[in-house]
Amino acid sequence: MLTYDFAKAQGPLYEYIYQCIKDDIMEGNLRQGEKLPSKRSFAKNNGISTITIQNAYDQLISEGYLYTIPQKGYYVAKLEGMKKVQRESSLSLHINMPEGRASYEVDLSDNRMNPALFPFSIWAKVLRRIISAQSGELMETSPAGGIRELRVAIAEHLKSFRGMLVDPDQIVVGAGTEYLYGLLVQLLGNKRQYCVENPGYRKIVQVYRQYHISCKYADLDEKGMTFEGLCATGADIAHISPNHHFPTGITMPAGRRYEILAWANEREGRYIIEDDYDSEFRLNGKPIPTLFSMDACEKVIYMNTFSKSLTPTIRISYMVLPVHLINRFYRELSFYACTVSNFEQYTLAAFIRQGYFEKHINRMRLYYSRQRKKMMETIRKSKLNTVCEIMENDSGLHFLIQVKTDKVDEEILRALREKGIRINALSEFFFTPSERKHCFIINYSNVDMEKAGKACDIFYQIMME
Amino acid sequence: MLTYDFAKAQGPLYEYIYQCIKDDIMEGNLRQGEKLPSKRSFAKNNGISTITIQNAYDQLISEGYLYTIPQKGYYVAKLEGMKKVQRESSLSLHINMPEGRASYEVDLSDNRMNPALFPFSIWAKVLRRIISAQSGELMETSPAGGIRELRVAIAEHLKSFRGMLVDPDQIVVGAGTEYLYGLLVQLLGNKRQYCVENPGYRKIVQVYRQYHISCKYADLDEKGMTFEGLCATGADIAHISPNHHFPTGITMPAGRRYEILAWANEREGRYIIEDDYDSEFRLNGKPIPTLFSMDACEKVIYMNTFSKSLTPTIRISYMVLPVHLINRFYRELSFYACTVSNFEQYTLAAFIRQGYFEKHINRMRLYYSRQRKKMMETIRKSKLNTVCEIMENDSGLHFLIQVKTDKVDEEILRALREKGIRINALSEFFFTPSERKHCFIINYSNVDMEKAGKACDIFYQIMME
């Protein structure tokens, strides 16, 4: 007969009994096939109710530790595998979480969003209205490409802002550009050769590598990816940012664009992925027309994101696919649920449609163009100016400085970090050994100018040491 | 000299001039290398300001249609590739968007969320508080695994609700379970054999297929995936839902669990993916302990989602990785940004921490258990009851009915659809020809009982025809 010390019970009594019996089974005190006392006698002997025992037995049955034979009673189940499974962990591994981003006195390596600039109250207001007016839609499954309202809003934005004529049904919305890169590989296949810009954005290569694609690298000249470089890679797919290359800032001129388009037209299965990640921040003049708009042969896939224009912490990017590829997407990949929550899709759609997005962009452009001006003035007023040249093209959230020095880039970066200044060198963005030395990237969007002035002086001192 | 009809200009004049010159270049009226009129003479001849011409020329330069030689003037750029690029599309493809889900009078094929049950006002209130109190954090990049607040809240929920002891740093949050399946393949590799349950959830196989994995299928007996079936596949990775199998509803008993765990322990590189997609909705008794909790050898990957417990339209799922795998995740995959927006991560974290999630689940369980009872009563009261048997196990949001009939499943389903009733047969969820015939899945969560009663009668009539 089972006897347990009920004084030890904490919480519901049936749970205690359940745990005691389970422990006895696992420790072998109750053998497999052994009959348990009947509910009634067990209850009576211990002065507790039958229903308590019933609950404990029921739980053990539903977990498979006991089984019952009607009219006969309860038995311990066969648990053959149990002996083969280690009960106590012999492993006591340590979790190595990557350290958070170190904090620097002056950080020019990153365009972190200034929280004061995000339109929180409008965003919250728009969401509140959506919740009260469209709660039904919020619970309806989104199409794989995103809800239609958002795709229509994006198409209208692309028309007025980028001069692009796009059917909303060509648009696919997803939780970040990296996610969309992955979808594209699934759509185009990983047996093809992919070619990226050298230097370029390292994450593109990291994502492609996850799909077992080893990217080819094509060098750039002052007009962007060279036609000869692209041809030499033997690639089928060219992933480029012709409107504002990261990190050099190059805008690909029309002549080169037509060359690259002609390359894509030469052979079936060739595509160009046009990554237009910060097109909203061309600070002067009209925006440069997209390669997508110049293409009439369904060769260009256009990608953009709200990470730069809104905030990277709301994960919404999109791509515009040529018609035959959007058809393939819905044929082959529409089993995937859209990765962006309906709440944020509807909020963003209304935010764009009601003109808030345009206002926000205009405000940000003004802010960034002032920051840019201040940052350039700060450099020009500092001693650093005597040994560096600013290279810029009125676009995006960064510019470059070329420094005259004999020092090695890594040394300079290390010395700067020791003084609390974080900055990237252009050479860090090359996939092959680079000859572009002593060129540094100034991400100015969220920098305190007083600190930036001191940082310029420190930079100069390091050069002179 | 260029002459354009300025009366036709709409919008800014410089844009009109820019477009006219661009058109002339593209149509060959302005030849490559040809010199353009000086800004001054062009302006004077047309009675417009030099600055307007300057702006038009600047835009054409920045796009690469013109170039300038200082002190000499403006020239049309070389655009060799242009002739090779088709200008007018010869393609006029039609976009084949998948049709929206057809609407049925009675839909038992899907557990669509009833909008009236989602706690909109609390969700909105929690988000509003987050926006006013944590706007800084909302703009800070989330770690790849998700923000710590949310991971801590999930770990506490797992402890109190599932009896699982989990370090928050073992948790990876992502935009939906399908996304996490993809991450897992990247983590475990696609050269391994993956095995799924037959019958089972078709999407798992579709996602794996995208990563060039052809899944093996292991049959089930009344205890779930069989040990022999699993061994016969030669698989390294078993993807199972031991706590409530979809669609059969089987709960794997302890004995079978130990067998499967022992299988995983036999060889390095073997893993079990435990998909616990609707564990919150076990309606009676304590929840069944997870396989993850029974494993002391780092063999089980636990997955769960807020799709069932909150709504599928907020895309948040998570997985709990064994320590050595979470370390691998941060080493190899932490370049990926977390796919869930900070706004929703912080909102959900507070929603759980402040007890709203538990309240919501309790409310939903009560609602579902009433719906279940009503649905079973409805069947029992109808004529359908004379030819069917209800098979249920107090868990999840569906149960099965086994119908006595000689008809073919597909015929029954078609006849039902013609009468406005949508339902799935168990046979549809088999990956191989199935012998489990005439078994149907009743998803009752959002059904009008009056209509359901009529549907049962129609079902009966179809059986009798």
Side-chain angles (χ1 to χ4, degrees), chain B residues 286-298:
Chain B
K286 272 166 62 75
I288 301 292
T290 61
L291 209 55
F292 185 92
S293 304
M294 299 168 78
D295 166 41
C297 302
E298 306 223 326

PDB file of all heavy atoms in Angstrom, chain B residues 286-298:
ATOM      1  N   LYS B 286      -4.307  18.910 -15.251  1.00  0.00           N
ATOM      2  CA  LYS B 286      -3.053  19.632 -15.415  1.00  0.00           C
ATOM      3  C   LYS B 286      -2.579  19.458 -16.850  1.00  0.00           C
ATOM      4  O   LYS B 286      -2.869  18.452 -17.485  1.00  0.00           O
ATOM      5  CB  LYS B 286      -1.988  18.978 -14.528  1.00  0.00           C
ATOM      6  CG  LYS B 286      -1.870  19.464 -13.123  1.00  0.00           C
ATOM      7  CD  LYS B 286      -1.028  18.492 -12.299  1.00  0.00           C
ATOM      8  CE  LYS B 286       0.412  18.369 -12.823  1.00  0.00           C
ATOM      9  NZ  LYS B 286       1.246  19.563 -12.465  1.00  0.00           N
ATOM     10  N   PRO B 287      -1.786  20.423 -17.327  1.00  0.00           N
ATOM     11  CA  PRO B 287      -1.202  20.195 -18.651  1.00  0.00           C
ATOM     12  C   PRO B 287      -0.237  19.011 -18.605  1.00  0.00           C
ATOM     13  O   PRO B 287       0.324  18.694 -17.560  1.00  0.00           O
ATOM     14  CB  PRO B 287      -0.441  21.490 -18.943  1.00  0.00           C
ATOM     15  CG  PRO B 287      -0.780  22.443 -17.857  1.00  0.00           C
ATOM     16  CD  PRO B 287      -1.378  21.689 -16.731  1.00  0.00           C
ATOM     17  N   ILE B 288      -0.066  18.358 -19.733  1.00  0.00           N
ATOM     18  CA  ILE B 288       0.880  17.249 -19.845  1.00  0.00           C
ATOM     19  C   ILE B 288       2.304  17.833 -19.826  1.00  0.00           C
ATOM     20  O   ILE B 288       2.576  18.785 -20.543  1.00  0.00           O
ATOM     21  CB  ILE B 288       0.653  16.529 -21.191  1.00  0.00           C
ATOM     22  CG1 ILE B 288      -0.781  16.012 -21.287  1.00  0.00           C
ATOM     23  CG2 ILE B 288       1.663  15.423 -21.424  1.00  0.00           C
ATOM     24  CD1 ILE B 288      -1.111  14.910 -20.344  1.00  0.00           C
ATOM     25  N   PRO B 289       3.207  17.281 -18.999  1.00  0.00           N
ATOM     26  CA  PRO B 289       4.586  17.801 -19.001  1.00  0.00           C
ATOM     27  C   PRO B 289       5.202  17.660 -20.392  1.00  0.00           C
ATOM     28  O   PRO B 289       4.907  16.718 -21.125  1.00  0.00           O
ATOM     29  CB  PRO B 289       5.314  16.894 -18.002  1.00  0.00           C
ATOM     30  CG  PRO B 289       4.260  16.263 -17.181  1.00  0.00           C
ATOM     31  CD  PRO B 289       3.051  16.174 -18.046  1.00  0.00           C
ATOM     32  N   THR B 290       6.054  18.604 -20.734  1.00  0.00           N
ATOM     33  CA  THR B 290       6.653  18.584 -22.072  1.00  0.00           C
ATOM     34  C   THR B 290       7.790  17.583 -22.157  1.00  0.00           C
ATOM     35  O   THR B 290       8.407  17.232 -21.156  1.00  0.00           O
ATOM     36  CB  THR B 290       7.226  19.966 -22.418  1.00  0.00           C
ATOM     37  OG1 THR B 290       8.231  20.297 -21.466  1.00  0.00           O
ATOM     38  CG2 THR B 290       6.144  21.022 -22.398  1.00  0.00           C
ATOM     39  N   LEU B 291       8.065  17.156 -23.375  1.00  0.00           N
ATOM     40  CA  LEU B 291       9.228  16.323 -23.656  1.00  0.00           C
ATOM     41  C   LEU B 291      10.490  17.079 -23.263  1.00  0.00           C
ATOM     42  O   LEU B 291      11.445  16.504 -22.741  1.00  0.00           O
ATOM     43  CB  LEU B 291       9.237  16.035 -25.165  1.00  0.00           C
ATOM     44  CG  LEU B 291       9.859  14.758 -25.656  1.00  0.00           C
ATOM     45  CD1 LEU B 291       9.245  13.558 -24.973  1.00  0.00           C
ATOM     46  CD2 LEU B 291       9.683  14.641 -27.162  1.00  0.00           C
ATOM     47  N   PHE B 292      10.488  18.380 -23.505  1.00  0.00           N
ATOM     48  CA  PHE B 292      11.628  19.227 -23.152  1.00  0.00           C
ATOM     49  C   PHE B 292      11.994  19.050 -21.673  1.00  0.00           C
ATOM     50  O   PHE B 292      13.164  18.959 -21.330  1.00  0.00           O
ATOM     51  CB  PHE B 292      11.284  20.692 -23.454  1.00  0.00           C
ATOM     52  CG  PHE B 292      12.430  21.645 -23.253  1.00  0.00           C
ATOM     53  CD1 PHE B 292      13.276  21.961 -24.312  1.00  0.00           C
ATOM     54  CD2 PHE B 292      12.682  22.219 -22.010  1.00  0.00           C
ATOM     55  CE1 PHE B 292      14.338  22.833 -24.134  1.00  0.00           C
ATOM     56  CE2 PHE B 292      13.741  23.087 -21.823  1.00  0.00           C
ATOM     57  CZ  PHE B 292      14.571  23.395 -22.898  1.00  0.00           C
ATOM     58  N   SER B 293      10.964  18.978 -20.808  1.00  0.00           N
ATOM     59  CA  SER B 293      11.228  18.844 -19.370  1.00  0.00           C
ATOM     60  C   SER B 293      11.750  17.462 -19.012  1.00  0.00           C
ATOM     61  O   SER B 293      12.397  17.286 -17.990  1.00  0.00           O
ATOM     62  CB  SER B 293       9.948  19.078 -18.571  1.00  0.00           C
ATOM     63  OG  SER B 293       9.410  20.322 -18.878  1.00  0.00           O
ATOM     64  N   MET B 294      11.428  16.471 -19.827  1.00  0.00           N
ATOM     65  CA  MET B 294      11.863  15.104 -19.538  1.00  0.00           C
ATOM     66  C   MET B 294      13.279  14.848 -20.035  1.00  0.00           C
ATOM     67  O   MET B 294      13.871  13.822 -19.727  1.00  0.00           O
ATOM     68  CB  MET B 294      10.908  14.106 -20.218  1.00  0.00           C
ATOM     69  CG  MET B 294       9.476  14.221 -19.718  1.00  0.00           C
ATOM     70  SD  MET B 294       8.307  13.310 -20.763  1.00  0.00           S
ATOM     71  CE  MET B 294       8.582  11.629 -20.202  1.00  0.00           C
ATOM     72  N   ASP B 295      13.796  15.785 -20.815  1.00  0.00           N
ATOM     73  CA  ASP B 295      15.085  15.607 -21.488  1.00  0.00           C
ATOM     74  C   ASP B 295      16.188  16.243 -20.665  1.00  0.00           C
ATOM     75  O   ASP B 295      16.100  17.407 -20.296  1.00  0.00           O
ATOM     76  CB  ASP B 295      15.000  16.275 -22.868  1.00  0.00           C
ATOM     77  CG  ASP B 295      16.357  16.463 -23.523  1.00  0.00           C
ATOM     78  OD1 ASP B 295      17.199  15.540 -23.443  1.00  0.00           O
ATOM     79  OD2 ASP B 295      16.583  17.526 -24.130  1.00  0.00           O
ATOM     80  N   ALA B 296      17.215  15.479 -20.348  1.00  0.00           N
ATOM     81  CA  ALA B 296      18.335  16.060 -19.607  1.00  0.00           C
ATOM     82  C   ALA B 296      19.595  16.069 -20.459  1.00  0.00           C
ATOM     83  O   ALA B 296      20.673  16.361 -19.980  1.00  0.00           O
ATOM     84  CB  ALA B 296      18.576  15.273 -18.326  1.00  0.00           C
ATOM     85  N   CYS B 297      19.455  15.751 -21.738  1.00  0.00           N
ATOM     86  CA  CYS B 297      20.644  15.557 -22.572  1.00  0.00           C
ATOM     87  C   CYS B 297      20.699  16.520 -23.747  1.00  0.00           C
ATOM     88  O   CYS B 297      21.382  16.244 -24.739  1.00  0.00           O
ATOM     89  CB  CYS B 297      20.686  14.117 -23.060  1.00  0.00           C
ATOM     90  SG  CYS B 297      20.704  12.961 -21.696  1.00  0.00           S
ATOM     91  N   GLU B 298      19.949  17.628 -23.653  1.00  0.00           N
ATOM     92  CA  GLU B 298      20.019  18.649 -24.703  1.00  0.00           C
ATOM     93  C   GLU B 298      19.614  18.114 -26.068  1.00  0.00           C
ATOM     94  O   GLU B 298      20.251  18.391 -27.087  1.00  0.00           O
ATOM     95  CB  GLU B 298      21.434  19.228 -24.789  1.00  0.00           C
ATOM     96  CG  GLU B 298      21.953  19.753 -23.468  1.00  0.00           C
ATOM     97  CD  GLU B 298      22.646  21.073 -23.646  1.00  0.00           C
ATOM     98  OE1 GLU B 298      23.269  21.282 -24.696  1.00  0.00           O
ATOM     99  OE2 GLU B 298      22.537  21.913 -22.734  1.00  0.00           O
TER     100      GLU B 298
END
